[in-house]
Amino acid sequence: MARFPFSAIVGQDEMKQALLVAAVDPAIGGVMVFGDRGTGKSTAARALAGLLPPMTTVEDCRYHCKPDERGSCPDPCTSGRNRKAAVPFVDLPLGATEDRVLGALDLERALRAGEKAFEPGLLAKAHRGFLYIDEINLLEDHLVDLLLDVAASGENLVEREGLSVRHRAQFVLIGSGNPEEGELRPQLLDRFGLSVEVRTPEAIDQRVEIMRRCAAQEADPEGFAADWKAEDEKVLKQIARGQKKLATLTVPDEAMADMAGLCRAVGADGLRGELTLMRAARALAALKGARAVTREHMIAVAPMALRHRLRRDVLDETGSTVRIDRAIAELFG
Amino acid sequence: MSDPAGADRFGDAALALELFMLAPDALGGLVLRGAGPARDALVERLKARLPVRRLPAHIDDERLLGGVDIAASLASGRTIRQTGLLEEARGGVLLVPMAERLLTAISGRLAQAMDGERGFGLVLLDDSVSGEEGPPPSLVERVAFHCDLSNVREIRAAPKRKPVPIARVEPADGEALTALAATAELLGISSVRALLFALVAARAHAALQGRTNVEEQDLQIAAGLVLAPRATRLPPQEEPEDQRDESTQENSSEGGAGDSEMRQAEDTVLEAALAAIPPDLLARLAEGAARRTARGSGGGKKAKSKLRGKPLGARPGMPRGGARLALIDTLRAAVPWQPLRRREHGDDPPEGLLIRKSDLRIRRFEERAAAVTIFAVDASGSAAMARLAEAKGAVELMLAQTYVTRSEVALVAFRGTGAELLLPPTRSLTRARRALAELPGGGGTPLATGITTARKLAETIATRGTTPFLVFLTDGSANIAGDGTPGRGQAREDAEAAASAVARIGFAALVVDIAPRPRPEAEALARTMQARYLPLPMADATALQRAVEAARPAPQAA
């Protein structure tokens, strides 16, 4: 199926913004998407990956080495030539084994030549791209632990079957799930940078627009992509500008104080909340081309940065988003 | 449960199949629930038109996706590849028998393949009996039609039709899109996929009729076949009984985009969908709320059962003391050493693989102390509403702990003349909250039925390898007999019989006496059940939860 243009997605504003923020600053550490099936979670993530310009890698390198990192992967890659490759979007299936994810002994070469060689797994494939996990709440905990660990460290370390391999694995982790089908452990949730809630737009005209666009895309994928190319280009420029600008943006002290105050007010545990809030606000400011990080940026990203970190009171049914909004209203009017 | 007037489930399923065969790629496939001659006939029809591959439930990754055939490679000494079933099914249909037993790993793969360059249709044969089980929701979501053929005996020949290619059917106009979108919204369907499926189904139906434009009847068929089975609610203040008669009337509307006409199109499409809503959903909705998440066929499926241990990979060791040999891992460990070992044997190496003791790997399983606590709560008038609130609180508190204890919670309420599974075993707090939000109370006390329902649930759970723990919240009094008739004497006897059935099976149980003054009936009941007895006259949710946690038997290691 041809990819759906990112800018042609109807609604889903929060998710789109979270993805853009994560694309500008991958160090934010992944996006968790909550929502029912069929609400376009994976479509949006896929669309963003497809939007990004092709990356330059060393030719035939299985680890997508950058040209200036030539020869640093376990293979090692020796080709002097480079080639362009699409930004990888790896869809991790439920029930994937540790072998598939981490990589394992290359059985074929072991059989044929008696060689002990490493067969890279999905983590290597996702390097410099996106790793999407549908129904992450149904994934086995030990795998989720492992993935979050690699996502945070940017490196996959394999010590098993007599292999000792280390390779880069930097990717934007996108998890999705429906909380009605089992929840994610709070410890794991906390390690996701951002979280968003996705719902199908309820307005009829928006739904009709979705159907219309999907039908148009199905009928003529190329023509549809061409129609949206200009819009997609704009988004692309925005990301590129954001990435460039990110390094020079500083967060003023007042904004820092605001963030600390908000985190305390909503009772977000740990430092990770504040750090992510700061990073996300900065990335958003960079994305918007702002000169400095302001309170507005912080307020815009506060729900997605904090919503999944609030300590839960089981018998209090107030949604996390509501609690954050309330705190924002109290603190900043 | 009887079918609604005029419902023709075989006709619907046969039509769904025809539509699917016109656009297998865009419609994804169908769920056919209920084994029997009707379903077999439809599968035969499918086989006559498209190449069909069966997907065995125990298929492994290599066979599904293709890869190195280890056994053949070992035997021949060179790498032998096999093509995967997904590849082989391209351009045809993948038939999944016993889809409700499909492993998560495989359903994940299939869902992924369907999101990508699909190239195959999926037909899920669902043999589940109760609404408890069902095919993986991720797959049900990705196929257009959900047909229920259980107890359908009537089989009719397929009418001869001369369809036009679906590509020639003009896209539906805005009015048609609005009608479908509005219907989906009123039925509480949030998935966009459902909308897109409905749209394709409408076009396919037009094509089937030999037309090149989408008409209102196409939309009605699409709403009935695609949207209705996914309904999660009924539109407000509508009387479904009346709608049904009207929907059979001939609708006159061709062209014209006046506002009143548009409204009319919406209405008739909605009517068609309402007429096709499964009768059990209607019944449950009529009661006030669909208790289980009614998504896809047969209501909410337990998302994932924590079956016995999950294989964790292997570690070196000898296969003894109950440990099982991990064959593949053993071979994998032995393979790299083969050239060396052959050399050790000099000029005359023996045939076959040379395996040493150090190569042996044994399987490890993740120990999951899985347990399901089943609350059976007396929701009758005598137990008063306060009790229900406390039970509800305790369930929620327990769920909050499930991260730690890895347990699940289920809730059965009994009142009036019967018992009802309000909350199927779950770990999800969100789902529990919704199920418990409208816990009804009042009426007689059918204690026997309550006990029996809880026991049956416990038995189902036990067959999955999980340990059930029964908690009864009752004052021990009963006034409705097992067959639903009033009468204290018979009710008492039936309750005792039900309690001794629990004792026979030997599940751990706890009877919490919730009467303001503890009464001998509840204690006697506990004795019959060989359960622990705990009078908690003034218990609140927290105390109840602590008591249950304390009384629960230590989970058995896998």
Side-chain angles (χ1 to χ4, degrees), chain B residues 169-408:
Chain B
V169 179
E170 283 162 29
D173 55 10
E175 192 183 323
L177 297 184
T178 311
L180 287 178
T183 305
E185 160 65 20
L186 284 170
L187 295 176
I189 299 168
S190 65
S191 168
V192 174
R193 266 195 208 104
L195 279 178
L196 299 177
F197 281 145
L199 192 56
V200 180
R203 292 184 66 201
H205 188 256
L208 194 65
Q209 302 287 334
R211 278 183 279 111
T212 57
N213 60 321
V214 175
E215 286 178 10
E216 201 168 302
Q217 54 158 310
D218 303 324
L219 299 179
Q220 288 175 12
I221 294 283
L225 290 179
V226 179
L227 298 182
R230 297 169 201 253
T232 61
R233 62 165 188 244
L234 278 184
Q237 82 266 359
E238 296 275 350
E239 270 300 309
E241 297 302 319
D242 303 339
Q243 303 288 342
R244 217 169 276 139
D245 302 329
E246 286 170 28
S247 69
T248 53
Q249 286 172 13
E250 206 49 45
N251 290 300
S252 57
S253 138
E254 239 128 293
D259 192 46
S260 65
E261 290 236 1
M262 183 158 150
R263 197 112 328 271
Q264 196 196 355
E266 265 172 47
D267 287 350
T268 53
V269 172
L270 178 62
E271 279 160 24
L274 287 175
I277 283 178
D280 54 336
L281 177 77
L282 209 59
R284 276 186 284 145
L285 288 168
E287 266 179 31
R291 293 257 151 58
R292 308 208 189 118
T293 40
R295 184 171 298 122
S297 69
K301 174 199 176 271
K302 215 167 116 305
K304 189 183 183 189
S305 54
K306 297 278 164 284
L307 294 182
R308 260 168 271 263
K310 288 257 157 69
L312 253 192
R315 66 177 176 80
M318 290 294 285
R320 62 184 163 210
R324 287 165 64 197
L325 181 73
L327 185 62
I328 300 290
D329 295 275
T330 304
L331 294 177
R332 199 173 271 174
V335 159
W337 302 101
Q338 295 306 306
L340 209 65
R341 287 180 191 165
R342 272 176 212 289
R343 241 173 279 151
E344 276 176 16
H345 280 272
D347 294 325
D348 185 26
E351 296 252 318
L353 210 61
L354 302 171
I355 295 179
R356 304 278 159 84
K357 190 179 153 194
S358 61
D359 297 332
L360 294 182
R361 298 286 185 274
I362 52 169
R363 278 196 196 154
R364 281 188 308 161
F365 289 97
E366 191 175 348
E367 282 192 9
R368 276 187 200 259
V372 181
T373 307
I374 303 168
F375 282 91
V377 182
D378 182 351
S380 67
S382 69
M385 296 301 287
R387 287 301 168 193
L388 283 180
E390 298 312 339
K392 184 179 147 186
V395 169
E396 291 189 359
L397 282 169
M398 290 194 66
L399 275 170
Q401 299 242 318
T402 52
Y403 302 118
V404 189
T405 58
R406 288 250 161 255
S407 57
E408 293 182 315

Side-chain angles (χ1 to χ4, degrees), chain B residues 374-380 411-422 444-459 470-474 476-488 490-502 525 529:
Chain B
I374 303 168
F375 282 91
V377 182
D378 182 351
S380 67
L411 187 121
V412 172
F414 51 99
R415 67 178 196 109
T417 54
E420 193 180 4
L421 178 63
L422 281 184
T445 316
L447 183 57
T449 317
I451 295 174
T452 309
T453 307
R455 172 179 58 85
K456 283 188 180 152
L457 179 63
E459 282 172 357
L470 291 156
V471 179
F472 293 92
L473 271 68
T474 173
S477 67
N479 57 21
I480 304 286
D483 56 2
T485 51
R488 237 161 237 289
Q490 188 61 39
R492 182 82 236 145
E493 269 176 41
D494 286 355
E496 271 186 20
S500 52
V502 173
L525 187 74
M529 218 183 273

Side-chain angles (χ1 to χ4, degrees), chain A residues 68-82:
Chain A
D68 55 351
E69 288 166 349
R70 194 181 308 276
S72 63
C73 66
D75 263 355
C77 44
T78 48
S79 168
R81 268 181 297 187
N82 299 334

Side-chain angles (χ1 to χ4, degrees), chain B residues 509-527:
Chain B
L510 169 73
V511 175
V512 181
D513 190 345
I514 54 171
R517 271 195 203 98
R519 288 197 277 183
E521 285 102 324
E523 197 172 354
L525 187 74
R527 216 176 302 120

Side-chain angles (χ1 to χ4, degrees), chain A residues 1 36-39 46 91-95 99-100 105 107-108 110-112 114 134-135 138 140-142 161 178-186 200 202 204 207-208 210-212 214-215 218 312 314-317, chain B residues 26 70 73-74 79 81 104-105 109 112 115-117 137-138 141-142 174 177-178 180-182 184-185 189-193 195-196 293 295 303-304 310 312 332 335-336 366 396 400 403 406 428-431 433-434:
Chain A
M1 222 192 296
D36 277 342
R37 291 202 170 77
T39 44
R46 241 175 253 274
D91 198 340
L92 186 86
L94 208 60
D99 282 9
R100 280 273 296 154
L105 185 73
L107 205 59
E108 198 191 330
L111 277 171
R112 203 178 48 215
D134 197 14
E135 305 191 80
L138 303 186
E140 286 180 48
D141 283 351
H142 70 104
E161 290 168 337
N178 181 352
E180 289 216 359
E181 290 169 4
E183 274 156 74
L184 212 55
R185 286 190 356 242
T200 305
E202 285 191 0
I204 303 291
R207 286 189 174 208
V208 170
I210 295 176
M211 283 161 78
R212 202 171 266 150
C214 287
E218 206 135 298
R312 283 195 309 183
V314 185
L315 300 177
D316 178 9
E317 298 194 15
Chain B
I70 293 174
S73 302
L74 278 178
T79 319
R81 295 196 163 272
T104 337
R109 294 281 196 213
Q112 203 177 56
D115 281 352
E117 284 182 41
S138 56
E141 158 75 21
R142 285 172 171 82
L177 297 184
T178 311
L180 287 178
E185 160 65 20
I189 299 168
S190 65
S191 168
V192 174
R193 266 195 208 104
L195 279 178
L196 299 177
T293 40
R295 184 171 298 122
K304 189 183 183 189
K310 288 257 157 69
L312 253 192
R332 199 173 271 174
V335 159
E366 191 175 348
E396 291 189 359
Y403 302 118
R406 288 250 161 255
S428 165
L429 198 56
T430 320
R431 192 167 164 202
R433 272 215 187 104
R434 208 163 74 185

Side-chain angles (χ1 to χ4, degrees), chain A residues 292-314:
Chain A
V293 180
T294 63
R295 183 178 281 178
E296 279 65 46
H297 296 135
M298 192 267 287
I299 290 176
V301 294
M304 62 172 96
L306 298 179
R307 155 184 309 136
H308 52 299
R309 298 176 209 277
L310 306 192
R311 198 177 293 147
R312 283 195 309 183
D313 181 353
V314 185

Side-chain angles (χ1 to χ4, degrees), chain A residues 220-300:
Chain A
D220 176 16
E222 274 108 52
F224 189 71
D227 289 348
W228 289 93
K229 197 162 173 32
E231 286 293 311
D232 267 11
E233 291 287 330
K234 262 189 227 163
V235 178
L236 199 55
K237 269 197 199 124
Q238 212 188 355
I239 297 175
R241 186 180 63 189
Q243 281 169 339
K244 207 182 282 169
K245 191 135 185 145
L246 190 67
T248 56
L249 263 184
T250 51
V251 185
D253 286 349
E254 314 76 276
M256 293 269 204
D258 281 354
M259 291 172 193
L262 180 61
C263 286
R264 204 178 46 231
V266 297
D269 293 348
L271 268 177
R272 211 171 269 152
E274 282 166 48
L275 274 174
T276 314
L277 186 57
M278 193 259 289
R279 281 213 172 104
R282 194 175 57 188
L284 183 69
L287 204 58
K288 298 219 153 147
R291 218 164 281 165
V293 180
T294 63
R295 183 178 281 178
E296 279 65 46
H297 296 135
M298 192 267 287
I299 290 176

